[in-house]
Amino acid sequence: MKNIGFIGLGNMGLPMSAGLVNSGYHVMGYDLNEEASLSLKKAGGEIASSVAQVVEKSELILTSLPSVKAVEEVYLGKEGLITNAKPGQPLVDTSTVFPALNVKISEVCKEHNLDFLASPVSGGVIGAVNQTLTVMVGGSQHVYDEVLPVFQVLGENIFHVNEQIDSGTTVKLINNLLIGFYTAGVSEALQLASKKNIDLDELFSMLNVSYGQSRIYERNYKSFIAENDYNPGFSLKLLRKDLEFAMELADESHLALPISKSLLHLYRSVEQEGYGDQDMAVLYEQVK
Ligand code: NAD
């Protein structure tokens, strides 16, 4: 399987596609944004002008899309993947969406005799660039086995959670709930340190070898807060979306999760103030 289609060439999709090109795959990409498409061309991929053209030239199609609406459009839309794909061309969504959407797409795929995996990823842009992502896959074992060599190009830690299509998404939403907690914790802790005249670089050196250490502290501080640059990365609005999905799972499970609920309110209000397109680390600037 050497010809891969890739739909959604944003912060994650572009480096994932470039990684496939670097590893000897031919990648046919598609994005609504012309600039994103041109970036893939520069990285050695080919650009399609429609979903249908991607399908025509690809043995396997991956997607990395920013919202439920975009995923529905690309898979279920009139000119979408399911209308165009043929049996034997697996469709693999790496976006983070609500689990019920994985189930809906999987059911429509079954009606069309198409294979589908819901395979969200973690590790951020850095993980996509370095091809070290963690991939959490839900779906049939035989489709997973077929796609595994491609997952192993994208990432270092590949998990087939189980055959339930939304199982990878559930794990990913739990991961992102923790990211929401850590990002808020780092933001408030560093604001307090600043007020108490503690140098933030020195604080990082000390806490990085203490129990206050976390990968999110390292990422948010080193790449964004210390640089005073909040170009994403992982945008705050995408994290807010994932927290909404996690809270829907909590509601379904009759769990109150009061701290998670107040976190979601915090991220919603910062997004409403106009910070949604900046990296999630910008929360630090908003908790003074
Ligand atoms: P992004 O907004 O940077 O990129 C999304 C891309 O999809 C954009 O280039 C956009 O033009 C394109 N797009 C939107 N609708 C489209 C359509 N109908 N047809 C074709 N292209 C379309 O988002 P991202 O940060 O790359 O995230 C993508 C997915 O990966 C999201 O579901 C996100 O939650 C998840 N994710 C992101 C990160 C991260 O660190 N950024 C990490 C893990 C998972």
Side-chain angles (χ1 to χ4, degrees):
M1 206 180 265
K2 278 289 166 196
N3 296 301
I4 312 279
F6 211 116
I7 301 178
L9 305 168
N11 288 323
M12 292 299 284
L14 179 65
M16 287 161 86
S17 307
L20 288 163
V21 171
N22 290 338
S23 303
Y25 288 85
H26 176 264
V27 177
M28 172 66 88
Y30 174 69
D31 197 296
L32 295 178
N33 178 335
E34 205 177 325
E35 210 177 305
S37 302
L38 286 175
S39 302
L40 175 62
K41 205 168 175 190
K42 275 192 205 139
E46 207 182 329
I47 298 304
S49 55
S50 64
V51 170
Q53 204 184 352
V54 173
V55 171
E56 199 185 308
K57 298 256 181 111
S58 310
E59 293 157 274
L60 157 75
I61 295 122
L62 294 158
T63 51
S64 173
L65 294 158
S67 63
V68 163
K69 186 169 167 275
V71 172
E72 281 183 330
E73 195 174 296
V74 166
Y75 279 84
L76 305 167
K78 241 169 69 191
E79 303 298 325
L81 278 173
I82 294 178
T83 312
N84 285 288
K86 306 268 173 310
Q89 265 179 320
L91 309 178
V92 180
D93 190 17
T94 68
S95 322
T96 309
V97 297
F98 186 60
L101 181 57
N102 297 152
V103 174
K104 183 173 167 189
I105 291 174
S106 166
E107 282 170 358
V108 183
C109 280
K110 275 187 198 137
E111 286 163 17
H112 288 74
N113 205 14
L114 297 170
D115 289 327
F116 172 64
L117 294 176
S119 313
V121 297
S122 180
V125 175
I126 284 280
V129 170
N130 294 335
Q131 298 173 252
T132 56
L133 290 169
T134 297
V135 188
M136 304 148 192
V137 189
S140 303
Q141 182 72 46
H142 79 274
V143 189
Y144 172 78
D145 291 341
E146 195 183 346
V147 180
L148 184 58
V150 174
F151 287 142
Q152 285 167 333
V153 171
L154 300 175
E156 234 166 34
N157 297 295
I158 319 301
F159 297 96
H160 184 210
V161 181
N162 61 45
E163 291 211 329
Q164 198 176 310
I165 192 70
D166 57 356
S167 57
T169 296
T170 299
V171 173
K172 167 73 185 177
L173 293 177
I174 292 165
N175 179 67
N176 283 22
L177 181 58
L178 283 173
I179 291 177
F181 272 82
Y182 292 140
T183 290
V186 167
S187 301
E188 294 199 350
L190 297 199
Q191 281 300 346
L192 179 59
S194 291
K195 274 278 183 268
K196 300 304 286 179
N197 292 323
I198 306 284
D199 179 87
L200 292 189
D201 279 343
E202 285 174 19
L203 183 76
F204 180 78
S205 308
M206 292 183 274
L207 297 198
N208 200 35
V209 290
S210 303
Y211 273 151
Q213 183 271 349
S214 73
R215 283 179 72 181
I216 290 294
Y217 179 14
E218 182 175 8
R219 171 205 185 276
N220 287 7
Y221 179 63
K222 288 280 188 194
S223 302
F224 299 94
I225 298 169
E227 299 293 319
N228 193 23
D229 179 355
Y230 295 102
N231 189 33
F234 185 41
S235 65
L236 186 132
K237 72 178 178 201
L238 288 184
L239 177 58
R240 192 269 310 145
K241 154 190 78 90
D242 296 345
L243 294 178
E244 305 269 2
F245 296 154
M247 291 319 295
E248 286 184 46
L249 285 187
D251 284 348
E252 272 174 23
S253 311
H254 307 291
L255 282 170
L257 304 191
I259 308 175
S260 307
K261 215 168 255 170
S262 56
L263 266 185
L264 176 56
H265 289 304
L266 174 66
Y267 285 100
R268 273 187 191 149
S269 70
V270 172
E271 184 180 353
Q272 276 157 13
E273 282 161 34
Y275 296 93
D277 287 323
Q278 301 206 14
D279 191 83
M280 63 180 178
V282 77
L283 191 73
Y284 165 74
E285 305 286 353
Q286 305 305 314
V287 294
K288 290 176 190 169

